[in-house]
Amino acid sequence: MSLDLHAPVMVAAGCGGTGRELASYGALSRLGGFVTRSITITGRPGGPSPRILETPSGLVHAVDLQNPGIDQFLALELPWLLQQEARVFVSVVGRTLGEYAELARRLGRTPGVAGIEVNLAPPDAAGVFDVREPFHAASVVAAVHRDLPRGMPVLAKLRSDVLRVAESARSVLDAGADAVVVGNALPAAMPDGRRAGLSGPATRPLALRCLVEVVAALPHATVVACGGITTTDDVRAALGNGATAVQVGTALLHDPTTAHRLLAEIEEDTA
Amino acid sequence: MTTTAPERTPLHVAGELLATRRIGAYHHLTVVAPGVAERFRPGAFVAVSTGAERLARRAFWIHKVKTSGGYGATLELVVEARGPGTTWLVGQAPGTTLQVTGPLGRPFALPSEAVPCLLVGEGYAAAPLFPLAERLRERDCAVSLLVAGSDEAHLLSALEARRSARAVTVVTGDGSVGQRGTVGDVVGEVLQRSGAAVVYAAGSVTTLHAVAAAAEAAGAWSQVAIEQPLTCATGLCQGCPVPVVGESGAQRLVRACADGPVLRGDRVVWDELMAP
């Protein structure tokens, strides 16, 4: 089964707030999907300030997965998103395989969720399940897949590691993922040494290489491109190199209308 | 289907820089941003892009909203050039296109009755207090003003202050204008003299803490406009956490940009906010 999106532009995890903030600038229902910030079993307060710093054409971030936890998310945030008729993909992170399975069970019995995105490589998070090798990634995806009702898509968001990304993609697809998202923020550090992620246009050529590697190794896989996508040419490059859709993240922090603008421009291409 | 009335939602527009004037240590920028000025309420701010390579937005208080012939409503922003983004911004020629998002954030809440109010502003952060003073006077509130700065150059519109308030106190760090000292030195006494029921403040975290403490001691409400370094300024990135105590007594984090910038002074957990 592959991913059924009505539009090729999605909001990337962690860059759309709760959705309400973004909705001021365009209807969420227009987009191919809204990926939530990563949700965990119990809420996380996030890291200390400063959390985000500007680097040339990039942002270094150490938010450390601040989120209200699955209960509050389901009670306070998801209903509003569904009311907007957004296609909601819930990003999840667990400390253990058991937590991933529990998150899948909770979301699998929640009506309206369009799919789950498994965040396999949050570069700034402490104390989460350590995905080092492709088989670790596969075991997470298998744990999530096993506890979901048939037909609910699983997206696996991989680390932008050029050397291992194709192998990782193969492993997670074998384990039941319906699509891979390539790729996550790059591992980086804040000036004081705290673990962090690097995102934005600075990471785009590397993310594109990861996409190319995955598509070359797995020509039939459904691949969603993510990483520094900012302009219409970036979207064209990703789709031209075999991506089914793109996710827009950091660019939204610079211009909250980016996702809608790119979608309108890409639709003109195909019209 | 949206929960907010459309006229309250922020806009993202291509604006135009009309003029830049240097006054003391600050630059006053006049910007046309269609629709943004019309939606303005005191305490709201705008985010401005400073080039495509600098991804974080720069946030500025809205100082004035004016109707100038031919342009519709314009915004006046007060900018202190202190980093690459703000330095770029104050160096732009009139006619430059600026990506402007706003008005953003929760503005100052106005009292429903005519009560005496004290407004405390430090440096460029005093900017949103002048339009606030006008709104309060329209409601027959007696407005007292306390403006502060490190020296005369960092004192915003002290002359204008005398027009918009019943009583004005000025403090500077070097004593070049008014009393020598800080807000913390004088706010308790000024508050008592004004008999204010509500204190509105904008400035550094240290100053806001002093104001909130003085208000609490005097039994007054305080509304503080908190300034944190912002990345997106629109509530998307979770980069500007402020610890607060909610109605239930439980502590939680709110976003300075989207849940603030104006917060109740007695709700902020100051010790944690000021911790390095």
Side-chain angles (χ1 to χ4, degrees):
Chain A
M1 198 198 75
S2 87
L3 197 60
D4 176 29
L5 299 174
H6 66 79
V9 178
M10 307 170 74
V11 172
C15 296
T18 62
R20 288 173 198 253
E21 303 80 12
L22 207 53
S24 298
Y25 308 97
L28 298 180
S29 57
R30 276 273 291 138
L31 302 172
F34 178 86
V35 186
T36 67
R37 63 197 187 290
S38 290
I39 302 295
T40 49
I41 291 279
T42 47
R44 290 172 66 108
S49 295
R51 286 181 168 187
I52 304 183
L53 296 176
E54 200 174 51
T55 57
S57 291
L59 293 175
V60 181
H61 44 92
V63 174
D64 197 15
L65 302 179
Q66 185 190 335
N67 82 93
I70 185 76
D71 289 333
Q72 277 211 48
F73 169 76
L74 292 177
L76 301 177
E77 294 184 19
L78 183 66
W80 187 87
L81 286 166
L82 296 177
Q83 198 184 36
Q84 306 306 303
E85 297 176 354
R87 283 177 56 81
V88 182
F89 292 84
V90 182
S91 172
V92 294
V93 171
R95 287 175 293 194
T96 60
L97 290 177
E99 283 196 356
Y100 274 109
E102 174 65 16
L103 287 161
R105 277 194 292 276
R106 297 290 303 277
L107 291 165
R109 57 173 185 253
T110 303
V113 174
I116 290 188
E117 182 177 282
V118 184
N119 182 356
L120 290 166
D124 61 333
V128 300
F129 184 79
D130 194 14
V131 175
R132 273 178 196 280
E133 299 294 327
F135 76 84
H136 292 137
S139 59
V140 171
V141 169
V144 169
H145 183 66
R146 194 181 306 128
D147 278 293
L148 280 184
R150 194 180 289 273
M152 184 183 282
V154 177
L155 285 71
K157 189 168 182 178
L158 303 174
R159 182 179 291 138
S160 284
D161 174 350
V162 173
L163 299 180
R164 313 282 311 261
V165 72
E167 187 189 350
S168 296
R170 191 189 308 274
S171 302
V172 296
L173 291 168
D174 286 348
D178 299 281
V180 290
V181 182
V182 178
N184 218 316
L186 303 182
M190 297 294 266
D192 62 6
R194 274 180 295 151
R195 59 172 81 193
L198 170 65
S199 297
T203 71
R204 191 177 58 234
L206 200 146
L208 185 60
R209 174 67 182 271
C210 289
L211 169 70
V212 168
E213 295 288 333
V214 171
V215 171
L218 303 158
H220 300 296
T222 302
V223 188
V224 177
C226 182
I229 301 226
T230 308
T231 67
T232 317
D233 283 342
D234 300 340
V235 183
R236 291 188 188 119
L239 299 181
N241 280 290
T244 299
V246 299
Q247 291 187 355
V248 179
T250 305
L252 289 169
L253 310 184
H254 183 74
D255 172 354
T257 66
T258 308
H260 288 88
R261 188 163 41 75
L262 295 183
L263 179 58
E265 286 165 11
I266 282 298
E267 282 175 343
E268 263 177 47
D269 278 6
T270 50
Chain B
M1 293 285 274
T2 42
T3 47
T4 342
E7 67 274 12
R8 291 282 163 87
T9 58
L11 300 174
H12 181 85
V13 296
E16 183 190 341
L17 179 64
L18 279 191
T20 300
R21 277 181 305 141
R22 190 175 175 132
I23 303 176
Y26 305 129
H27 289 79
H28 291 236
L29 273 55
T30 307
V31 177
V32 192
V36 177
E38 288 81 352
R39 295 167 186 226
F40 162 74
R41 287 183 294 162
F45 65 97
V46 293
V48 179
S49 301
T50 61
E53 303 77 33
R54 281 185 287 270
L55 298 185
R57 313 294 303 283
R58 272 41 173 192
F60 303 102
W61 299 116
I62 301 171
H63 184 33
K64 287 176 195 163
V65 165
K66 280 188 293 195
T67 313
S68 55
Y71 290 105
T74 60
L75 303 170
E76 185 172 324
L77 314 176
V78 183
V79 179
E80 181 178 36
R82 55 178 180 188
T86 43
T87 304
W88 177 91
L89 187 59
V90 303
Q92 295 308 299
T96 303
T97 300
L98 296 174
Q99 298 297 324
V100 178
T101 315
L104 294 164
R106 283 179 199 232
F108 290 114
L110 301 173
S112 50
E113 288 168 33
V115 292
C117 299
L118 172 64
L119 280 51
V120 183
E122 178 190 34
Y124 61 81
L129 299 178
F130 294 89
L132 174 65
E134 282 172 34
R135 299 279 170 103
L136 290 171
R137 282 195 313 168
E138 286 165 15
R139 293 173 173 242
D140 296 323
C141 296
V143 175
S144 304
L145 213 78
L146 168 56
V147 281
S150 52
D151 55 23
E152 189 176 5
H154 292 83
L155 208 53
L156 194 69
S157 314
L159 271 179
E160 237 167 285
R162 298 193 193 282
R163 281 202 296 274
S164 46
R166 177 172 298 186
V168 178
T169 311
V170 177
V171 288
T172 48
D174 64 355
S176 52
V177 190
Q179 283 174 253
R180 180 195 294 267
T182 64
V183 167
D185 297 336
V186 300
V187 65
E189 187 203 321
V190 174
L191 181 52
Q192 203 165 27
R193 214 185 312 139
S194 68
V198 187
V199 189
Y200 297 93
S204 66
V205 170
T206 318
T207 293
L208 297 182
H209 183 204
V211 170
E216 207 156 343
W221 294 103
S222 65
Q223 293 214 3
V224 298
I226 291 193
E227 190 178 320
Q228 294 277 292
L230 302 179
T231 303
C232 69
T234 49
L236 301 177
C237 76
Q238 304 197 103
C240 55
V242 177
V244 299
V245 173
E247 294 283 348
S248 64
Q251 191 174 321
R252 63 196 167 95
L253 288 172
V254 297
R255 298 159 295 182
C257 67
D259 305 305
V262 178
L263 297 168
R264 266 174 57 175
D266 59 329
R267 293 267 192 237
V268 177
V269 186
W270 294 101
D271 294 343
E272 280 191 29
L273 185 61
M274 292 192 292

